[in-house]
Amino acid sequence: MKGKGGHVGSRFPLSSWEVAAASSVLLGFALGLLGVYLTMPESDYSFLKLPRTLEDLQILRDHLETYTSDYTAQVLVGYCVVYIFMQTFMIPGTVFMSLLAGALFGVFKGVAMVVFTATAGASSCYFLSKLIGRPLVFSLWPDKLSFFQEQVARRRGGLLNYMLFLRLTPTLPNTFINVASPIVDVPYHVFFLATLIGLVPAAYVTVKAGIALGELQSIGDLYDFNSIATLFLIGIVSITPTLISKSKS
């Protein structure tokens, strides 16, 4: 039986492959943390906590540097599981995790890890929101959701370019994009590609700053006027093909 919007009222909001993907992510969290726990040496791990300040982050970096060289695989898995978990459940602080990637792994590996984990976490959040997120989004961001829905409807022909623009610029928060995209019917393949490609510039800026962690005075130092202007310029370039095609039509 169909409702007013033409959708089947009792239809489960996830397809079978999406359920499988979401279940795999959750299983991965559990297995990853269990594997790290079982293979790490006995020690005092009281320093292990989600950093909330640059001081917390520096303490965590100092302790993990030794483990990174001796237990590289475990640190990598633990890092990825924590980052994806934070992204999935919209836990603040992933910027500190991105800085930590630069401090521990360098620019190339750090950017690759941040883009991979951020994309996986955003995808997991997308599926979770598709399942249970509608009431949350409507209650927390009604105005943003209306704006986003209108823009997505207007730009169906060049939706990938528009989503790239959003990922590249701070026009809308990434957390909101993750949780609202399935609500406004952004197809997953568009969401995935825009996330994978669009997060690279910001990830590079943050990871590179993590290499010189001791020089940072505040998180605000990450994005000065030049950095933000550059991200906006890249974003404008990404949406230009859509604007040109509209003007021709």
Side-chain angles (χ1 to χ4, degrees):
M1 186 172 179
K2 294 187 177 181
K4 291 181 181 179
H7 295 288
V8 180
S10 60
R11 181 180 177 272
F12 191 66
L14 290 179
S15 65
S16 56
W17 76 269
E18 287 170 337
V19 170
S23 300
S24 298
V25 171
L26 292 174
L27 182 61
F29 288 149
L31 292 178
L33 288 176
L34 179 63
V36 171
Y37 175 77
L38 292 176
T39 56
M40 289 294 281
E42 291 187 12
S43 183
D44 177 17
Y45 293 112
S46 59
F47 64 89
L48 284 178
K49 64 176 182 178
L50 294 180
R52 290 288 177 243
T53 66
L54 286 175
E55 184 180 0
D56 290 344
L57 183 61
Q58 288 165 354
I59 293 171
L60 184 60
R61 185 273 314 270
D62 293 341
H63 281 89
L64 284 180
E65 278 181 332
T66 302
Y67 290 103
T68 302
S69 58
D70 296 336
Y71 299 94
T72 305
Q74 289 91 329
V75 174
L76 282 171
V77 171
Y79 176 92
C80 291
V81 169
V82 171
Y83 200 122
I84 294 170
F85 183 85
M86 292 175 70
Q87 283 279 80
T88 299
F89 297 101
M90 299 179 290
I91 299 172
T94 52
V95 64
F96 292 111
M97 296 296 290
S98 298
L99 287 167
L100 183 62
L104 293 179
F105 306 110
V107 174
F108 180 75
K109 288 182 181 178
V111 170
M113 284 183 62
V114 168
V115 172
F116 165 73
T117 51
T119 302
S123 298
S124 180
C125 184
Y126 176 101
F127 294 136
L128 189 63
S129 178
K130 190 172 183 180
L131 181 64
I132 59 173
R134 188 175 295 272
L136 177 68
V137 179
F138 273 101
S139 62
L140 291 179
W141 302 290
D143 296 334
K144 277 191 177 74
L145 184 64
S146 297
F147 170 79
F148 191 31
Q149 195 162 27
E150 179 186 343
Q151 294 299 313
V152 168
R154 286 174 52 194
R155 303 173 191 277
R156 282 290 170 191
L159 191 54
L160 177 58
N161 296 91
Y162 177 63
M163 293 297 293
L164 270 173
F165 174 79
L166 293 181
R167 286 302 196 189
L168 288 162
T169 65
T171 306
L172 288 173
N174 277 323
T175 298
F176 171 78
I177 295 171
N178 294 345
V179 76
S181 289
I183 309 301
V184 299
D185 295 326
V186 174
Y188 176 66
H189 70 279
V190 172
F191 175 88
F192 173 81
L193 286 174
T195 303
L196 184 67
I197 299 168
L199 292 182
V200 172
Y204 174 78
V205 171
T206 311
V207 169
K208 188 177 180 183
I211 295 176
L213 191 57
E215 298 176 11
L216 278 180
Q217 300 300 315
S218 71
I219 293 299
D221 294 341
L222 282 174
Y223 297 105
D224 56 15
F225 175 79
N226 290 335
S227 298
I228 294 175
T230 301
L231 292 176
F232 262 108
L233 179 61
I234 298 172
I236 290 169
V237 169
S238 73
I239 207 171
T240 298
T242 304
L243 298 176
I244 293 174
S245 64
K246 279 194 173 185
S247 64
K248 285 183 178 179
S249 61

